[in-house]
């Protein structure tokens, strides 16, 4: 059996290609901008590749992200520690992981443009 070691965040050409494919097929409109959270930044960079002409934002929810992990995204930093859930008043009005994706909602409510896309992993 053939094996490969996948790095933190599953950053591998096959994974990035899958993110690009799913993103392009699943979005039925042209977003004004794209938002996601980031730790390793893999999902956000995949979205950057899928939509190279659309502005992208990443909300840092873990370690300090490197310039390579951020890519061309505008970076925002969550005030919550990585393992701490958000306060109920900061929760989005849909299922979202309270220690991960939901940490972007405050920034999206305050700063996102109309027709922005939030790539939410879920609860």
């Amino acid at each position: 059996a053939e094996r490969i070691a996948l790095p933190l965040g599953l950053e591998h050409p096959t994974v990035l290609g899958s993110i690009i494919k799913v993103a392009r097929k699943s979005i039925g409109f042209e977003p004004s901008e794209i938002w996601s959270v980031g730790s390793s930044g893999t999902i956000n960079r995949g979205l950057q590749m899928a939509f190279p002409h659309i502005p992208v934002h990443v909300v840092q929810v873990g370690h300090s992200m490197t310039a390579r992990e951020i890519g061309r995204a505008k970076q925002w930093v969550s005030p919550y520690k990585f393992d701490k859930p958000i306060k109920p008043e900061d929760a989005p009005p849909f299922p979202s992981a309270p220690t991960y994706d939901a940490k972007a909602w405050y920034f999206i409510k305050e700063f996102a443009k109309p027709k922005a896309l939030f790539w939410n992993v879920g609860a």
Side-chain angles (χ1 to χ4, degrees):
E2 185 176 325
R3 297 178 187 177
I4 60 170
L6 295 173
L8 178 68
L10 299 177
E11 184 174 343
H12 185 270
T14 303
V15 174
L16 289 168
S18 295
I19 293 168
I20 293 166
K21 183 178 178 180
V22 168
R24 288 181 178 166
K25 286 187 172 192
S26 65
I27 299 172
F29 71 101
E30 179 83 7
S32 60
E33 59 187 8
I34 298 170
W35 288 77
S36 80
V37 294
S39 184
S40 67
T42 303
I43 290 174
N44 192 273
R45 283 192 315 285
L47 293 169
Q48 291 174 37
M49 290 181 223
F51 304 102
H53 61 286
I54 295 176
V56 179
H57 299 263
V58 64
V59 178
Q60 176 183 298
V61 296
H63 71 279
S64 294
M65 296 176 75
T66 66
R68 188 192 65 73
E69 290 169 334
I70 296 166
R72 66 177 178 84
K74 177 174 177 157
Q75 180 189 28
W76 306 81
V77 179
S78 172
Y80 290 98
K81 291 188 179 197
F82 183 71
D83 61 341
K84 299 298 179 196
I86 59 163
K87 294 176 183 172
E89 61 267 23
D90 291 336
F94 47 80
S96 189
T99 58
Y100 196 63
D101 295 87
K103 292 177 181 175
W105 191 244
Y106 167 81
F107 298 98
I108 292 168
K109 283 191 320 185
E110 292 295 318
F111 303 107
K113 295 179 181 176
K115 290 184 65 181
L117 170 73
F118 173 32
W119 195 270
N120 180 39
V121 176

